[in-house]
Amino acid sequence: MAFLSSVKGGAGRGRAEALAFPGLVALAALAVATPCGAETLKANFALSLLGLSIGHASANGVIEGRSYRIDISMRTTGLASLVNDTRGAATASGALSSEGLAPTSYANTTSNTYETRTVRMSLAGNSVRAVHVDPTPWDLPVRIPVTESNKSHITDPVSALIMSVPASEPLVGPSACNRTIPVFDGVTRFDVTLSFVEMRNVETQGYSGPVSVCAARYRPIAGHRPDSASTRFMAENSDITVWLAPLPTAHAVVPYRMALRTNVGMLTVEPAEFHLGGGRRQAAERAAPERSTAEQ
């Protein structure tokens, strides 16, 4: 759920925080592709700020058996690229079990007008085994130190996009949303807390079915500047929503849409395409509980 830490970069100080922006698109750009018998999804998303297009994202990956892999990419377009030409790519892979996701590798390369940064991380047992960041943030000495305990019982920002639901619980409703996700992106450690708001029916190219609407909150833990106005803004931001679509075979949910208030206006991440495979449309319909009056 790197989008919550990354959006603050737009209001932050200098190059290090600006490079965090592509983490936002990790939430938006989850897509899973083609092997037979796998849980499949293919999605493209449009990013807009104050109703103006600022970029797009796409991704490919697969959840198959007990393993998963996700590859994503993004870039700013139009006026946004004139102000700060930002692009990025990230990948994550690991195992999927009844306990949830156990990532084994994560890599992310982001670039903007100022510089390019690469993060590589290996994990085991939901703990970091090794991490390499090049270049390191210029303001690292004044950031809150990340301890070894901060790097245990976590997930990476891309793997965080696949959220397991207990086998006994439905995939649409409170059980889809209500959770706290501990995330480490190689530099910062933060929690994302989701809480259920309502259920809706949605329709876009490739998908028609139920989603769960969740309110999201960001809580910084380590790796950030204690004097950062942008971190404080995001920590106090109560105007963030994430819509989650079900993956029945994996018994998990993934982001479908996101909206959040930034210090310059409302940012939305909308699906232009959201293709479901492996008979998942019918499975999604079966996964939905009785319709609520909140559905549209």
Side-chain angles (χ1 to χ4, degrees), residues 123-142:
L123 307 95
N126 290 95
S127 297
V128 177
R129 291 294 176 256
V131 60
H132 177 71
V133 181
D134 183 32
T136 57
W138 64 273
D139 56 354
L140 190 61
V142 298

Side-chain angles (χ1 to χ4, degrees), residues 144-226:
I144 295 176
V146 177
T147 66
E148 287 304 310
S149 63
N150 292 150
K151 296 185 284 187
S152 298
H153 309 292
I154 55 88
T155 187
D156 65 83
V158 176
S159 298
L161 305 179
I162 305 175
M163 291 161 265
S164 295
V165 176
S168 60
E169 298 292 335
L171 289 172
V172 182
S175 54
C177 293
N178 295 338
R179 67 184 70 234
T180 295
I181 308 168
V183 182
F184 180 60
D185 63 10
V187 175
T188 58
R189 169 70 177 85
F190 57 94
D191 282 348
V192 176
T193 300
L194 302 179
S195 55
F196 178 70
V197 176
E198 63 181 358
M199 295 179 292
R200 295 193 180 195
N201 279 336
V202 298
E203 186 170 357
T204 191
Q205 183 176 340
Y207 178 71
S208 177
V211 297
S212 304
V213 179
C214 319
R217 296 300 298 262
Y218 166 79
R219 184 170 76 92
I221 294 176
H224 60 282
R225 292 181 64 115

Side-chain angles (χ1 to χ4, degrees), residues 12-185:
R13 304 187 181 200
R15 306 173 190 177
E17 289 188 329
L19 276 170
F21 175 76
L24 159 68
V25 183
L27 175 66
L30 181 63
V32 185
T34 52
C36 182
E39 188 81 85
T40 63
L41 168 66
K42 182 178 181 180
N44 291 300
F45 294 82
L47 284 68
S48 62
L49 182 64
L50 295 172
L52 300 174
S53 175
I54 63 168
H56 58 78
S58 61
N60 290 282
V62 63
I63 302 173
E64 185 173 23
R66 296 185 177 181
S67 66
Y68 71 91
R69 179 183 174 91
I70 307 168
D71 302 288
I72 68 172
S73 63
M74 67 77 60
R75 70 170 301 169
T76 55
T77 58
L79 292 176
S81 63
L82 296 178
V83 176
N84 192 336
D85 186 12
T86 303
R87 62 188 68 193
T91 183
S93 60
L96 185 67
S97 71
S98 58
E99 301 298 318
L101 268 67
T104 56
S105 66
Y106 165 76
N108 180 25
T109 299
T110 53
S111 64
N112 63 18
T113 304
Y114 306 105
E115 65 181 350
T116 297
R117 173 167 295 123
T118 299
V119 176
R120 297 187 182 279
M121 187 161 57
S122 61
L123 307 95
N126 290 95
S127 297
V128 177
R129 291 294 176 256
V131 60
H132 177 71
V133 181
D134 183 32
T136 57
W138 64 273
D139 56 354
L140 190 61
V142 298
R143 293 179 177 231
I144 295 176
V146 177
T147 66
E148 287 304 310
S149 63
N150 292 150
K151 296 185 284 187
S152 298
H153 309 292
I154 55 88
T155 187
D156 65 83
V158 176
S159 298
L161 305 179
I162 305 175
M163 291 161 265
S164 295
V165 176
S168 60
E169 298 292 335
L171 289 172
V172 182
S175 54
C177 293
N178 295 338
R179 67 184 70 234
T180 295
I181 308 168
V183 182
F184 180 60
D185 63 10

